[in-house]
Amino acid sequence: MTSLPAPLRWLHSLEWRRGFFDWARSDGVTWVYIFKVLIAGFLTLWLAMRLELPQPRTAMITVFIVMQPQSGQVFAKSFYRFLGTLAGSAVMVFLIALFAQNTELFLGSLAIWVGLCTAGAARYRNFRAYGFVLAGYTAAMVGLPALAHPDGAFMAAVWRVLEISLGILCATVVSAAVLPQSASAAMRNALYQRFGTFALFVTDGLRGRSPREGFERSNVRFIAEAVGLEGLRSVTVFEDPHMRRRNGRLSRLNSEFMGITTRFNALHQLLERLRSHEADHVVGAIKPGLQDLTELLDNFSGRALTSPDAERLVSLLAAYKEGLPTKVRSLRARFQESAPSDAEQLDFHTAYELLYRFVDDLHNYAQTHASLAEHSHERELWDEPFTPKANWLACAASGIRATFILVILGSYWVATAWPSGATMTLIAAATVGLSAATPNPKRMAFQMACGTLIGALVGFVEMFFVFPLIDGFPLLCVMLAPVIVLGAFLSSRPKYAGVGLGLLIFFSTGSVPDNLTVYNPYTFINDYIAMIIGMLVCAAAGAIILPPNSRWLWRRLEQDLREQVVYAISGKLKGLASRLESRTRDLLHQAYGLAAGQPQVQRDLLRWMFVVLEVGHAIIELRKEQAILPVHPAYAESQPWRQAIRVMGRSLVRLFLQPSASNLERGLSAVDHAISQVQATDEPFAPHFDTSALRRVKSYLHFIRTSLLDPQSPLAALNPSGPAHAS
């Protein structure tokens, strides 16, 4: 075979290495995770058997539940699993002490407890949710078998805590020691890449090259990243002291990123409205100021923002911000030479007010990003954390569903005295808890049932035809490895995560031998039938009893979104902007997931978010302006313009609580009246003092008006006058 020339050999080796590294960053990470699951699972099983724990499989199941691709996620999940296990064990001992002689009262109390824990899991939706899940089904898993022997309940709880602690210890050691994947490294990479994507998004938007679908798709991505990074930040606290010292700045950075996306969305929406109304004269007057910012951000778009780049961005933005007022005055003087109308002047001032706010927030974001290079920094002092928002009805529905399932299955067990009824009930408690924090619990429970069925078929063959023929722990590992590899692989794929989880957990529950193995096919088959029935009941309940992906919940979450405008009007002003951002985006993130497969619903929810954030931030800025006004007769509380703004606030509350054509008309009239009152105050006082504060107030009022008239807004369907009314 003729050898390749040296340059071709070099290119061939370079392509091979590039391909290998691409594989290592994608599928390679999955196979490393599977390899670590095998090591941690077998190490835990061996130690549990050597220590003669009553149920080694429980320790092994703990590994499968807490194991994650990144070590920080393992630490966080293990921490909350341990807390949840302690809480569930304590409640179980308490209930056994109260109702050991009364099965009905015990099952009723247990059902209520599992319902409360499931509602808590639906409320938090992160690793803290897992603590609630464990608190619920640990009480069922320990308490139901202990009903037959109440005197052993305390020791059963102690053994379970020890078994889970062993699984947690092995999982964390293996995750941290064997080819560790750091959550902090993932977070740093996400932060660096995120700004380059956003800068490209901004430059395309300012040049008018961002179609509506692409604009909405990018915003959905930014929302998911903001919520995801908040979860990742809470994980890195467990893992990395370097990131722990920067925890306040990371929280601040996420909050500021949400702020700059909202600021730019507001500016982009205004520019799009002007372009759609063919206001070329105003767009041409605004364009020179936007062009400078576009050219500045071109240097950073589509590339990672490293610490030196962040320092350079800070200095460039500081210079741009310093020269912006002079630039605006020059452009305004030139613009006024063309004798623009009052509406055109308002559009000009509103655009540059939004631009200045955007640049100011962008400068703050760049400063916080640059400060991450230092071990300690004054920007670490941040007391405006991400504030999640959940719908209490959705959480209550999850709790009610769980309580109903436990009552029905527990009653069936008591009525029939089926020996595997306890297994059915406790598996249902585990399934309903594990699926509560997912957008589609019905699908999750059904997938877990499918995984359990696969585990039952494979487990029957191994338990009764393979295990009796093998001798020693190494051969046991060889027989268990293919099932564990398949389950871990499926659980790493979001589409089949439920199947993988069901296969791993419930194959281990029914088919992994204990220290004293009992080969009883009758019990084996009954227990697996009970497991599958319990999961199918959970799936049916998720589809019938207040299903979370139904129309009623979308409407409730949409109403919660609209109510954020009321929160902006009435909430405490300190930190209100960041709370509005996080609450609104968290609500949309939940609603978007629940409305999967319903693109029109998702689009409507996203557009409600836009109008809520636009109007909400404009109201907050109005409140801030009024809070810092100097002492002057023009700014007195009794002035008609301040009273008109209060009336406008009440009209907006009515509009967003009950959207209707009449309320929209009333809201627009109130905004128009407030603008006219500010204008009437501005003119007589203008010769005597600086009216820039009133000009800013007028700009925010005008922006609220254009937001309410946006043809892309959900409110557009309520506007009987159509786009013509906007003129």
Side-chain angles (χ1 to χ4, degrees), residues 161-175:
V161 170
L162 291 175
E163 289 157 359
I164 286 175
S165 300
L166 177 64
I168 287 172
L169 179 64
C170 292
T172 51
V173 168
V174 170
S175 179

Side-chain angles (χ1 to χ4, degrees), residues 78-91:
S78 299
F79 175 75
Y80 289 115
R81 177 175 173 83
F82 184 72
L83 291 183
T85 301
L86 288 179
S89 299
V91 169

Side-chain angles (χ1 to χ4, degrees), residues 85 88-90 92-93 138 142 152-162:
T85 301
S89 299
M92 183 277 302
V93 172
T138 296
V142 179
F154 179 77
M155 285 308 302
V158 171
W159 283 121
R160 179 158 181 81
V161 170
L162 291 175

